[in-house]
Amino acid sequence: MTMTPTVQSTPEDATKLAAFEARIAAGEHIEPKDWMPERYRRQLIRMMSQHAHSECVGMLPEGNWITRAPSLRRKMTLLAKVQDEAGHGHYIYCATETLGVSRDELLDELHAGKAKYSSIFNYPTLTWADIGVIGWFVDGAAIVNQTVLAKASYGPYARAMIRICKEENFHKRQGYEICAVMSQGTDAQKAMLQDAVNRWWWPSLMMFGPPDSASSNSDELLRWKVKRYTNDELRQRFVNLTVPQAQAINVALPDPDLAYDPTSGSWRFGAIDWNEFWAVVKGHGPLNRERVAARKAAHDDGAWVRAAAEAHAAKRAARSTAAA
Amino acid sequence: MANETTGSQWPLWEVFTQAETGDPHEHAGSLHAVDGEQAIQNARDVFGRRGKVVSLWVVPAEAIVASVPSDAGPMFEPGNEAAYRHPQFYKVPRGVRIY
């Protein structure tokens, strides 16, 4: 995407920066036309476009199961959820555009395989239980993240997050319901659920991003109140929320080191395999290439719909001109 | 490949939704659409998917004239300073019910 080159900072910029930081410290929101440091704009474009891409690519693992949902109720739910993800991608793309980048540039980057998105979506959905576990873990983790982002200092991002949070609670509940029902099922169904939990648990913890000790962007984002908590704090919050939910449906989380720490009131968990995380981020996950190819095919296959919409609008415009 | 049709981004529309008759139309967000008709259809799908909406407005974003941030002080300050515009500015005899 096009980025304005870094300009030499002047005394005027220093004054503006101080005023900008004072506004943020006072809890004000920054709106598109307000002055903002170039670095703030770039960080937001990076973070928000990754978020929008994640919503879009996130449709693929679940869309994979729409035709195979085990009942009409589950199929309606899954269709509605996937449609929501498209809507969420839309909200965030629009919010990103307010920073002076075009939708086309963002989509071109995604389709060229240059854009990042949440690495969780590069894992396959092998069984129906995966759909339950995605709702429970992946949407659960997303809610933890997004509830905090709803207080982000950039107004359009915060507003998009508020809208998304309102819609996303259904995503988590339907997923947990699927898991709860399977946990009461046959031995084969219980085994299928446990297998899905085993495969999704660690990638879900990785969704919060690298550990604070290795997160290069965190300090600045926290100072500018784009982020309100660190990756590790949010990861811990997710673990604390999820452990009792797993206990309630007799599912084991695949971590022998998971233990309650009465001093902090938190569940301590084992070491995350960050090599796996970085490998998937760098494009070597199970399905990175397939996801981008499927996204690009969906876009290309929809070209005739966009062409038809333009032709229709042109015809209507010509008619109303002729009638005038 | 996003530009294979006209080679330009479709116009941006601002969307306003009304949740109940009698409520104000509130800004819900924005979207790209080729014309007003399509903007209304897309707005229904994007912003009226759940939760009640009884009316939609779509406005070409370029038609909106907005104040600029640097005006904020001088433009809106008089409103805050004019205490005589607020009911508390006026004294009334104790014990009288005025509303």
Side-chain angles (χ1 to χ4, degrees):
Chain A
M1 65 195 80
T2 323
M3 299 282 195
T4 317
T6 318
V7 286
Q8 288 298 75
S9 60
T10 63
E12 193 204 4
D13 288 340
T15 314
K16 284 179 177 168
L17 180 63
F20 168 86
E21 295 200 327
R23 288 187 63 196
I24 288 190
E28 283 187 46
H29 283 92
I30 305 302
E31 293 294 338
K33 286 181 174 175
D34 292 341
W35 186 89
M36 62 186 83
E38 191 51 30
R39 195 62 201 152
Y40 179 80
R41 184 189 305 275
R42 283 194 210 186
Q43 285 280 33
L44 280 171
I45 291 174
R46 181 188 63 80
M47 204 170 144
M48 292 167 67
S49 62
Q50 285 180 16
H51 195 162
H53 295 326
S54 300
E55 299 284 352
C56 268
V57 177
M59 288 189 273
L60 299 170
E62 295 185 300
N64 185 30
W65 276 90
I66 290 174
T67 56
R68 293 177 286 168
S71 69
L72 181 59
R73 182 174 183 268
R74 295 288 188 221
K75 183 179 290 205
M76 290 190 306
T77 300
L78 195 52
L79 271 170
K81 181 174 189 294
V82 171
Q83 192 189 23
D84 273 355
E85 308 300 0
H88 295 176
H90 175 89
Y91 299 155
I92 311 171
Y93 280 130
C94 264
T96 315
E97 286 174 68
T98 64
L99 292 159
V101 60
S102 79
R103 178 87 55 110
D104 290 348
E105 289 172 86
L106 297 174
L107 290 180
D108 286 348
E109 287 235 316
L110 177 63
H111 298 154
K114 287 189 229 157
K116 284 188 193 163
Y117 52 84
S118 183
S119 54
I120 193 93
F121 300 120
N122 290 318
Y123 291 85
T125 39
L126 303 178
T127 70
W128 173 251
D130 290 35
I131 299 305
V133 174
I134 284 179
W136 176 22
F137 286 175
V138 177
D139 289 272
I143 290 170
V144 167
N145 255 327
Q146 289 167 348
T147 309
V148 180
L149 286 171
K151 301 186 189 95
S153 59
Y154 188 56
Y157 198 22
R159 288 192 287 275
M161 286 302 112
I162 289 168
R163 193 167 275 282
I164 288 175
C165 286
K166 279 186 191 159
E167 300 182 355
E168 200 121 295
N169 284 335
F170 126 65
H171 296 181
K172 177 170 180 180
R173 279 182 75 108
Q174 65 84 33
Y176 190 58
E177 186 194 85
I178 291 172
C179 296
V181 167
M182 289 189 83
S183 75
Q184 301 287 312
T186 63
D187 286 347
Q189 287 167 332
K190 288 178 192 168
M192 188 185 277
L193 173 63
Q194 186 62 57
D195 169 64
V197 165
N198 293 349
R199 282 182 288 109
W200 289 96
W201 174 248
W202 291 107
S204 298
L205 294 191
M206 294 174 198
M207 279 178 71
F208 295 92
D212 296 349
S213 54
S215 179
S216 51
N217 296 307
S218 272
D219 287 349
E220 198 171 52
L221 293 172
L222 286 164
R223 183 158 51 92
W224 286 336
K225 294 190 182 170
V226 176
K227 283 186 170 185
R228 311 299 294 247
Y229 296 95
T230 70
N231 295 351
D232 285 337
E233 286 167 341
L234 294 173
R235 191 170 4 252
Q236 186 65 60
R237 184 179 297 184
F238 171 74
V239 171
N240 290 351
L241 280 170
T242 309
V243 171
Q245 292 161 358
Q247 290 170 334
I249 59 170
N250 294 315
V251 165
L253 297 173
D255 180 359
D257 296 327
L258 197 66
Y260 187 69
D261 172 22
T263 325
S264 61
S266 280
W267 286 87
R268 296 286 162 227
F269 50 93
I272 295 172
D273 180 1
W274 292 112
N275 290 331
E276 175 181 330
F277 172 79
W278 290 115
V280 180
V281 167
K282 289 179 178 137
H284 308 300
L287 290 176
N288 295 56
R289 273 183 297 278
E290 285 82 349
R291 294 298 187 227
V292 171
R295 184 67 202 75
K296 188 171 181 311
H299 187 75
D300 293 347
D301 291 349
W304 71 270
V305 179
R306 295 189 291 277
E310 287 190 6
H312 180 63
K315 198 161 78 179
R316 280 167 52 93
R319 260 192 217 138
S320 67
T321 314
Chain B
M1 282 300 288
N3 298 337
E4 64 278 65
T5 43
T6 56
S8 70
Q9 183 81 63
W10 289 351
L12 187 67
W13 302 75
E14 298 297 336
V15 179
F16 298 80
T17 57
Q18 186 188 35
E20 298 278 358
T21 56
D23 284 353
H25 284 70
E26 286 187 348
H27 186 236
S30 48
L31 49 79
H32 293 281
V34 71
D35 64 5
E37 183 192 27
Q38 193 197 29
I40 285 278
Q41 287 170 353
N42 289 355
R44 179 204 55 198
D45 291 344
V46 176
F47 298 105
R49 207 164 56 252
R50 69 161 73 79
K52 197 174 169 192
V53 172
V54 297
S55 169
L56 277 173
W57 291 348
V58 293
V59 182
E62 63 176 20
I64 292 180
V65 180
S67 62
V68 294
S70 55
D71 279 353
M75 186 118 146
F76 304 117
E77 202 51 50
N80 299 332
E81 284 179 355
Y84 51 85
R85 289 184 184 274
H86 298 286
Q88 294 79 1
F89 184 73
Y90 301 95
K91 293 182 175 65
V92 295
R94 194 182 294 273
V96 178
R97 186 175 168 175
I98 345 227
Y99 301 113

